[in-house]
Amino acid sequence: MLAIDRDDDFGFKAGVKAPVIGRDACIDAAVKLSLADPEDSDANVLYAAVKLYDELKEKGEFEDVEVALITGHHDVGVKSDLELNKQMDKVLAKFPADGVIPVTDGAEDEQIFPIIASKVPIISTRRVVVKQSESIETTYYIIYRYFKEVLSDPEVAKIVLGLPGLVLLLYGIARLISIKYPESINIVSSTVAGTILLLIGGYFFNKGFNLVSYFVTFFRHIRESMSKGLVNFVSTIAGLFVIMAGAIHVYFNFEYYIRNSNIPGIPTDPLLAGITYMYFFNNLLITGLTIIVTGKILQAYMKKDYHIWHYLTALLLIPGIWVTIDITTSYVLNLTSPVLIDFYKKVLIAVLDIILATLMGMYLREKVRGWRRVEAGESTSQA
């Protein structure tokens, strides 16, 4: 027979040190708790365990029986269950039982049945009901756990307490306003109802699509970018702004650019129209890219970042990119031809630029070998 006191009323109120093993020791512990708090049902649980022990002892159905008491901790939860687990091991070490009959006074103590069952089989259970119907303590325990979870879990509290509280608050404000301005009661009621629906709908919409986490992540990345690389951040924003502004400008002034060029008219074919657009957009695109890469070079130089040679190589390649886009779009639009010397001059410039960027990249890589390697927020001195 195993009496269970999960919240340690025996120790907290009567000073009983658990585990308590043996009939006389258990009766002594029950008397101490009865004197300390006559209304505590845990004393009756231990009396019931002793009574069951006497009955089984008298019947002689088992080879040997024993009665014991284990207690947890006044802070019910993980702490109390760990204590009960330790005391259960001590009881089994002194009396290695083949089975156990737990005796409790309600659902709270029964929460540790899995702990007991993991150590020794549970033959039967006995619940002691004192001065109330059998379901009262179980109902009380369920309600207690529910409100405890609501108050301890912020997410649950927002829904169970926060939203109803918001509704009552807004309607309370509306009623106070309607007392001062009775003629506005319909407007106030509609405004409050609309606000409530908007807030509740927005809350559930956010929960469904988890929008807040996306915004938080976005702004966190911006903050980290600003704190770790302000120059890079500003240059990237400026470069992207130039590219977007240039794209919009070319789009709305497309006809003006065509009238002031050698192109006979607006292409009707979508592909040719796109190539024509790229032909005019090339300068602004390259300008934006140059701003972005220049910012990365400055930031890398300030931080002595080993990867500065990547960015310098990219900057040296930008003229080749500009020439390549210009010559290919011009060729497609019949603005230049391989028979013209200007065509080969541009091809030669692009090839030389690529060769120069490659050689400079190899040279710079060796020059900055002793600089820090910055990757994923970590730095090392080894290149």
Side-chain angles (χ1 to χ4, degrees):
M1 274 55 61
L2 183 67
I4 302 169
D5 175 21
R6 194 181 184 204
D7 56 359
D8 192 26
D9 285 337
F10 278 94
F12 186 74
K13 296 178 181 180
V16 175
K17 184 174 178 59
V20 179
I21 305 173
R23 184 180 187 279
D24 294 337
C26 287
I27 292 177
D28 182 62
V31 171
K32 288 181 179 179
L33 182 59
S34 298
L35 294 174
D37 185 1
E39 296 181 354
D40 196 313
S41 61
D42 286 317
N44 296 85
V45 169
L46 191 49
Y47 285 132
V50 172
K51 182 175 183 297
L52 182 60
Y53 164 83
D54 291 339
E55 292 175 352
L56 295 178
K57 194 80 171 177
E58 183 180 350
K59 292 179 181 178
E61 295 180 355
F62 297 95
E63 182 179 342
D64 193 9
V65 293
E66 187 58 279
V67 61
L69 165 69
I70 59 174
T71 63
H73 192 274
H74 203 62
D75 183 12
V76 176
V78 176
K79 198 169 185 178
S80 64
D81 292 346
L82 288 172
E83 181 63 28
L84 287 164
N85 184 62
K86 293 178 183 178
Q87 294 185 20
M88 188 66 196
D89 289 336
K90 292 180 181 179
V91 171
L92 292 176
K94 188 171 183 179
F95 186 81
D98 296 326
V100 65
I101 302 177
V103 183
T104 70
D105 62 348
E108 182 176 4
D109 295 332
E110 293 172 1
Q111 296 298 306
I112 73 154
F113 280 7
I115 298 176
I116 298 172
S118 67
K119 301 176 180 298
V120 62
I122 296 177
I123 301 174
S124 179
T125 61
R126 178 70 62 88
R127 178 182 290 189
V128 178
V129 181
V130 181
K131 293 185 179 180
Q132 71 257 354
S133 65
E134 186 172 352
S135 62
I136 287 180
E137 184 169 347
T138 301
T139 305
Y140 165 79
Y141 179 67
I142 293 173
I143 295 174
Y144 168 77
R145 283 193 61 189
Y146 173 76
F147 279 104
K148 184 178 180 181
E149 181 180 357
V150 167
L151 295 175
S152 62
D153 190 338
E155 290 299 320
V156 178
K158 287 177 184 178
I159 299 176
V160 177
L161 300 177
L163 292 180
L166 176 64
V167 172
L168 294 175
L169 178 64
L170 291 176
Y171 267 114
I173 294 173
R175 295 296 298 175
L176 292 174
I177 294 175
S178 64
I179 293 174
K180 180 68 175 177
Y181 305 100
E183 66 280 0
S184 65
I185 186 169
N186 292 331
I187 298 175
V188 172
S189 297
S190 299
T191 302
V192 170
T195 303
I196 291 171
L197 292 175
L198 179 65
L199 292 175
I200 295 177
Y203 177 80
F204 286 116
F205 183 76
N206 168 63
K207 283 297 179 182
F209 292 95
N210 201 19
L211 298 179
V212 171
S213 65
Y214 291 121
F215 285 111
V216 170
T217 303
F218 174 73
F219 286 112
R220 185 173 64 248
H221 287 165
I222 291 179
R223 186 174 67 252
E224 291 176 354
S225 298
M226 291 184 66
S227 61
K228 296 181 180 179
L230 180 60
V231 175
N232 182 29
F233 175 78
V234 172
S235 66
T236 301
I237 295 298
L240 291 175
F241 180 79
V242 169
I243 293 173
M244 290 188 293
I248 295 172
H249 174 76
V250 172
Y251 178 80
F252 285 106
N253 295 274
F254 194 53
E255 294 184 6
Y256 171 80
Y257 281 110
I258 289 180
R259 284 198 304 268
N260 290 273
S261 68
N262 295 327
I263 300 175
I266 298 176
T268 56
D269 183 76
L271 180 60
L272 288 178
I275 294 173
T276 305
Y277 176 86
M278 195 63 196
Y279 173 76
F280 295 126
F281 177 52
N282 186 21
N283 292 339
L284 293 169
L285 173 64
I286 294 301
T287 302
L289 291 176
T290 302
I291 294 173
I292 294 174
V293 176
T294 302
K296 290 183 176 295
I297 293 172
L298 293 174
Q299 188 70 57
Y301 178 77
M302 292 167 61
K303 299 175 71 172
K304 296 298 182 181
D305 181 4
Y306 166 80
H307 294 92
I308 190 173
W309 74 273
H310 292 169
Y311 309 133
L312 286 168
T313 303
L315 183 64
L316 292 173
L317 284 172
I318 285 179
I321 297 174
W322 178 83
V323 172
T324 302
I325 296 175
D326 179 71
I327 196 173
T328 52
T329 53
S330 299
Y331 176 74
V332 173
L333 297 174
N334 292 321
L335 299 179
T336 186
S337 172
V339 299
L340 300 176
I341 191 66
D342 185 59
F343 179 87
Y344 291 103
K345 285 171 57 178
K346 291 183 177 180
V347 171
L348 181 61
I349 291 172
V351 172
L352 290 176
D353 181 71
I354 294 172
I355 294 173
L356 176 63
T358 303
L359 294 175
M360 286 297 297
M362 295 170 61
Y363 172 76
L364 291 170
R365 181 179 180 182
E366 295 301 320
K367 293 292 290 184
V368 299
R369 182 172 290 276
W371 288 18
R372 293 189 309 149
R373 185 185 296 271
V374 181
E375 290 181 343
E378 298 181 357
S379 301
T380 64
S381 59
Q382 182 66 34

CSV table of all heavy atoms in Angstrom, one decimal, residues 4 8 56 81 90 104 134 138 155 163 201 205 243 246-247 349 353 357 360 363:
chain,number,residue,atom,x,y,z
A,4,ILE,N,0.1,8.6,-1.2
A,4,ILE,CA,0.8,9.6,-2.0
A,4,ILE,C,0.3,11.0,-1.5
A,4,ILE,O,-0.9,11.2,-1.4
A,4,ILE,CB,0.5,9.4,-3.5
A,4,ILE,CG1,0.9,8.0,-3.9
A,4,ILE,CG2,1.2,10.5,-4.3
A,4,ILE,CD1,0.4,7.6,-5.3
A,8,ASP,N,3.1,17.5,-0.5
A,8,ASP,CA,3.9,17.4,0.8
A,8,ASP,C,3.3,18.2,1.9
A,8,ASP,O,3.9,19.0,2.6
A,8,ASP,CB,5.3,18.0,0.5
A,8,ASP,CG,6.3,17.7,1.7
A,8,ASP,OD1,6.0,16.7,2.4
A,8,ASP,OD2,7.2,18.4,1.9
A,56,LEU,N,-5.4,-6.8,4.1
A,56,LEU,CA,-4.7,-7.7,3.3
A,56,LEU,C,-3.8,-8.6,4.1
A,56,LEU,O,-3.6,-9.8,3.8
A,56,LEU,CB,-3.8,-7.0,2.3
A,56,LEU,CG,-4.6,-6.2,1.2
A,56,LEU,CD1,-3.6,-5.4,0.3
A,56,LEU,CD2,-5.5,-7.1,0.4
A,81,ASP,N,7.4,16.0,-8.5
A,81,ASP,CA,7.5,14.7,-9.1
A,81,ASP,C,8.9,14.1,-9.0
A,81,ASP,O,9.1,12.8,-8.9
A,81,ASP,CB,7.0,14.7,-10.6
A,81,ASP,CG,5.5,15.1,-10.7
A,81,ASP,OD1,4.9,15.0,-9.7
A,81,ASP,OD2,5.1,15.5,-11.8
A,90,LYS,N,13.7,4.7,-2.9
A,90,LYS,CA,14.1,4.4,-1.5
A,90,LYS,C,13.1,3.3,-0.9
A,90,LYS,O,13.6,2.4,-0.3
A,90,LYS,CB,14.1,5.6,-0.6
A,90,LYS,CG,15.2,6.6,-1.0
A,90,LYS,CD,15.1,7.9,-0.1
A,90,LYS,CE,16.2,8.9,-0.5
A,90,LYS,NZ,16.1,10.1,0.4
A,104,THR,N,-4.9,7.4,-2.9
A,104,THR,CA,-4.9,8.9,-3.0
A,104,THR,C,-6.2,9.5,-2.6
A,104,THR,O,-7.2,8.7,-2.3
A,104,THR,CB,-4.6,9.2,-4.5
A,104,THR,OG1,-5.8,8.9,-5.3
A,104,THR,CG2,-3.4,8.5,-5.1
A,134,GLU,N,-17.4,12.5,-4.6
A,134,GLU,CA,-16.2,12.0,-5.2
A,134,GLU,C,-15.6,12.8,-6.3
A,134,GLU,O,-14.5,12.9,-6.6
A,134,GLU,CB,-16.4,10.5,-5.7
A,134,GLU,CG,-15.1,9.9,-6.2
A,134,GLU,CD,-15.3,8.4,-6.5
A,134,GLU,OE1,-16.4,7.9,-6.2
A,134,GLU,OE2,-14.4,7.8,-7.1
A,138,THR,N,-11.8,16.3,-8.0
A,138,THR,CA,-11.4,16.1,-9.4
A,138,THR,C,-11.8,17.3,-10.3
A,138,THR,O,-11.0,17.9,-11.0
A,138,THR,CB,-11.9,14.9,-10.0
A,138,THR,OG1,-11.5,13.7,-9.3
A,138,THR,CG2,-11.5,14.7,-11.5
A,155,GLU,N,0.3,33.1,-24.5
A,155,GLU,CA,-0.5,32.9,-25.7
A,155,GLU,C,-1.9,32.5,-25.4
A,155,GLU,O,-2.8,33.0,-26.0
A,155,GLU,CB,0.2,31.8,-26.6
A,155,GLU,CG,1.5,32.3,-27.2
A,155,GLU,CD,1.4,33.5,-28.1
A,155,GLU,OE1,0.4,33.5,-28.8
A,155,GLU,OE2,2.2,34.4,-28.0
A,163,LEU,N,-8.7,38.9,-25.4
A,163,LEU,CA,-9.7,39.3,-26.4
A,163,LEU,C,-11.1,39.6,-25.7
A,163,LEU,O,-11.7,40.7,-26.0
A,163,LEU,CB,-9.9,38.2,-27.4
A,163,LEU,CG,-8.8,37.9,-28.4
A,163,LEU,CD1,-9.1,36.8,-29.4
A,163,LEU,CD2,-8.4,39.2,-29.2
A,201,GLY,N,-10.3,39.9,-36.0
A,201,GLY,CA,-10.0,39.3,-37.3
A,201,GLY,C,-8.5,39.4,-37.6
A,201,GLY,O,-7.9,38.4,-38.2
A,205,PHE,N,-6.1,36.3,-38.2
A,205,PHE,CA,-5.4,36.2,-39.5
A,205,PHE,C,-3.9,36.1,-39.4
A,205,PHE,O,-3.2,35.4,-40.1
A,205,PHE,CB,-5.8,37.5,-40.3
A,205,PHE,CG,-5.2,37.5,-41.7
A,205,PHE,CD1,-5.8,36.8,-42.7
A,205,PHE,CD2,-4.1,38.3,-42.0
A,205,PHE,CE1,-5.3,36.8,-44.0
A,205,PHE,CE2,-3.6,38.3,-43.3
A,205,PHE,CZ,-4.1,37.6,-44.3
A,243,ILE,N,18.5,51.6,-59.5
A,243,ILE,CA,18.1,50.7,-60.5
A,243,ILE,C,16.6,50.7,-60.6
A,243,ILE,O,16.1,50.7,-61.8
A,243,ILE,CB,18.5,49.2,-60.0
A,243,ILE,CG1,20.0,49.1,-60.1
A,243,ILE,CG2,17.9,48.2,-60.9
A,243,ILE,CD1,20.6,47.8,-59.5
A,246,GLY,N,15.6,54.0,-62.2
A,246,GLY,CA,16.0,54.0,-63.7
A,246,GLY,C,15.0,53.1,-64.5
A,246,GLY,O,14.7,53.5,-65.6
A,247,ALA,N,14.7,51.9,-63.9
A,247,ALA,CA,13.7,51.1,-64.6
A,247,ALA,C,12.4,51.8,-64.9
A,247,ALA,O,11.8,51.7,-66.0
A,247,ALA,CB,13.5,49.8,-63.9
A,349,ILE,N,37.4,45.4,-75.8
A,349,ILE,CA,37.3,46.0,-74.5
A,349,ILE,C,36.7,45.0,-73.5
A,349,ILE,O,37.2,44.9,-72.4
A,349,ILE,CB,36.5,47.3,-74.6
A,349,ILE,CG1,37.2,48.4,-75.4
A,349,ILE,CG2,36.2,47.8,-73.2
A,349,ILE,CD1,36.4,49.6,-75.6
A,353,ASP,N,38.8,43.5,-70.4
A,353,ASP,CA,38.3,43.8,-69.0
A,353,ASP,C,38.2,42.5,-68.2
A,353,ASP,O,38.5,42.5,-67.0
A,353,ASP,CB,36.9,44.5,-69.1
A,353,ASP,CG,36.4,44.8,-67.7
A,353,ASP,OD1,36.9,45.7,-67.1
A,353,ASP,OD2,35.4,44.1,-67.3
A,357,ALA,N,40.3,41.8,-64.9
A,357,ALA,CA,39.6,41.6,-63.6
A,357,ALA,C,40.1,40.2,-63.0
A,357,ALA,O,40.3,40.1,-61.8
A,357,ALA,CB,38.1,41.5,-63.9
A,360,MET,N,43.8,40.8,-61.7
A,360,MET,CA,43.7,41.6,-60.5
A,360,MET,C,43.1,40.9,-59.3
A,360,MET,O,43.6,41.1,-58.2
A,360,MET,CB,43.0,42.9,-60.8
A,360,MET,CG,43.7,43.9,-61.7
A,360,MET,SD,45.2,44.5,-60.9
A,360,MET,CE,44.6,45.3,-59.5
A,363,TYR,N,45.8,38.6,-58.0
A,363,TYR,CA,46.8,39.4,-57.3
A,363,TYR,C,46.3,39.9,-55.9
A,363,TYR,O,47.0,39.8,-54.9
A,363,TYR,CB,47.2,40.6,-58.2
A,363,TYR,CG,48.1,41.6,-57.5
A,363,TYR,CD1,49.4,41.3,-57.3
A,363,TYR,CD2,47.6,42.8,-57.0
A,363,TYR,CE1,50.3,42.2,-56.6
A,363,TYR,CE2,48.4,43.7,-56.3
A,363,TYR,CZ,49.7,43.4,-56.2
A,363,TYR,OH,50.5,44.3,-55.5
